[in-house]
Amino acid sequence: MVTAHVVRVFSDANGHGGNPLGLIEDPVNLGPDERQAIAKTLGYSETIFLDDVEKAEISIHNLSRQIPFAGHAAVGAAWTIARLTGHHPSVLRTTGREAESWTDAAGVWVRAPLSMTPPWWAERLDDPRQVDDLDGPLSPTQDFTQLWAWIDEAAGIARMRTYAARVGIPEDEACGTGAMRLAAALGRRMTIHHGEGSIIHAAPGPAGYADIGGHVTEDPPRQL
């Protein structure tokens, strides 16, 4: 039997909303096929395997394969490692490369190279109510797309929804890597109201990097 920690990443300050994430502690005896089967059984957009919590070494699987980085997964991993060890990791060690991490009033943050993020297409709509009213992408070809609009452009507050049927996720509740790419492209810090009730903070980092952050809420574990 395997126990999965479960958290919701990018919840609001009251613990509502957020993108579910499964985390498997001490998975040393789990081979690649077993890990992928666990990720598929959990059914979340990503599952984290905490290979060494003291060294903050992690591996990330989506529903079909191992991937080098995912924004909400990295934020959730940093938060969970801090809970398990009693200290926040300054660096996450992924199979892609190292990613810095820290905390502030906005929650847990991770900084990673944009080269580790997938090539999301972000399309701006005229009004946030158009984003609210979506029942799917604007066309079937938008299978790896973020649709967004400004709520308050001066304050950097936006509304966004993400559709990723290409990787088996009809709609992602909160997409960190897409938020990173958009904040970097616009060159400004953003607060993004995503999905049904998630809040993502994103900002450009040093050249070639971006930052992603938010609150994390713990849910009951799952037994597999």
Side-chain angles (χ1 to χ4, degrees):
M1 182 177 291
V2 175
T3 300
H5 300 279
V6 179
V7 299
R8 283 176 286 114
V9 184
F10 306 131
S11 57
D12 66 21
N14 296 315
H16 302 136
N19 198 0
L21 174 71
L23 304 103
I24 310 300
E25 189 179 356
D26 194 25
V28 64
N29 294 320
L30 298 174
D33 291 344
E34 293 171 296
R35 293 182 180 214
Q36 195 58 56
I38 288 170
K40 188 173 182 179
T41 298
L42 286 172
Y44 303 136
S45 55
E46 281 91 28
T47 295
I48 288 278
F49 294 87
L50 301 168
D51 294 310
D52 189 323
V53 294
E54 291 297 335
K55 295 180 180 179
E57 294 178 354
I58 65 172
S59 55
I60 308 169
H61 285 249
N62 64 18
L63 292 172
S64 60
R65 62 186 177 88
Q66 185 174 348
I67 57 176
F69 182 78
H72 103 284
V75 170
W79 184 91
T80 302
I81 289 170
R83 291 291 293 267
L84 293 173
T85 63
H87 55 86
H88 191 87
S90 59
V91 173
L92 283 177
R93 295 174 173 87
T94 76
T95 54
R97 57 191 296 182
E98 293 184 350
E100 295 179 46
S101 184
W102 66 96
T103 62
D104 66 12
V108 175
W109 287 84
V110 173
R111 172 175 291 165
L114 290 165
S115 61
M116 289 172 60
T117 64
W120 293 103
W121 171 258
E123 182 169 334
R124 180 180 169 183
L125 304 184
D126 295 328
D127 191 295
R129 289 171 294 186
Q130 293 176 280
V131 183
D132 291 338
D133 292 342
L134 291 168
D135 57 8
L138 299 176
S139 97
T141 61
Q142 291 182 322
D143 61 355
F144 204 67
T145 299
Q146 296 195 299
L147 300 171
W148 72 283
W150 286 116
I151 296 172
D152 184 337
E153 185 172 358
I157 302 172
R159 177 75 173 100
M160 179 182 285
R161 293 172 73 179
T162 297
Y163 300 99
R166 187 186 307 177
V167 291
I169 305 169
E171 181 170 359
D172 199 4
E173 170 58 26
C175 178
T177 52
M180 292 169 68
R181 292 178 71 91
L182 183 60
L186 297 177
R188 62 180 300 178
R189 181 162 174 154
M190 301 180 70
T191 298
I192 299 171
H193 293 255
H194 203 300
E196 292 188 3
S198 300
I199 298 178
I200 301 175
H201 300 283
Y209 286 75
D211 305 341
I212 188 72
H215 293 291
V216 180
T217 298
E218 188 171 24
D219 282 342
R222 288 178 58 179
Q223 302 292 330
L224 304 177

